[in-house]
Amino acid sequence: MTRRPYRGIQPWRIAAEWGEEVMSRKLVRPRAGRMVAGVCAGLAQRFGISTAMVRLLFLLSLLIPGSQVIIYLALWIIMPNEDRYLSHASH
């Protein structure tokens, strides 16, 4: 009895392709769609999810104790502005 190859949905392949696609996107703060500094918009763009969802999750995370605001401020400093990133990439 020979085994036939599995021809259904292969979650590991889907996850690998999604991971490669996500990793190819750069983590930048976009000019369009900003509310405060563009951190939530940049994270949403990087991971391919809704900007509203990231903002909602951030606001909900403020209800529990932690260092969310410090992390937001750190990302604001660390994440390059989209304009600055594009100008460095073109050189």
Side-chain angles (χ1 to χ4, degrees):
M1 180 178 209
T2 60
R3 297 185 90 181
R4 293 186 313 194
Y6 180 68
R7 296 184 189 257
I9 298 173
Q10 299 175 347
W12 59 88
R13 215 175 254 172
I14 293 170
E17 290 170 3
W18 180 81
E20 288 174 9
E21 180 184 335
V22 167
M23 294 306 288
S24 67
R25 298 182 198 142
K26 302 300 178 197
L27 184 59
V28 295
R29 293 182 295 121
R31 275 281 175 215
R34 286 185 176 191
M35 288 288 249
V36 178
V39 173
C40 291
L43 289 171
Q45 192 175 55
R46 169 70 156 89
F47 294 107
I49 56 178
S50 166
T51 305
M53 179 64 75
V54 175
R55 289 178 181 141
L56 178 66
L57 290 173
F58 176 72
L59 289 175
L60 289 175
S61 76
L62 293 175
L63 298 175
I64 57 175
S67 56
Q68 297 87 335
V69 175
I70 294 171
I71 293 171
Y72 185 91
L73 293 173
L75 286 173
W76 189 350
I77 294 168
I78 294 170
M79 288 172 64
N81 204 1
E82 187 176 40
D83 297 337
R84 193 175 332 151
Y85 176 77
L86 291 175
S87 69
H88 287 301
S90 65
H91 288 289

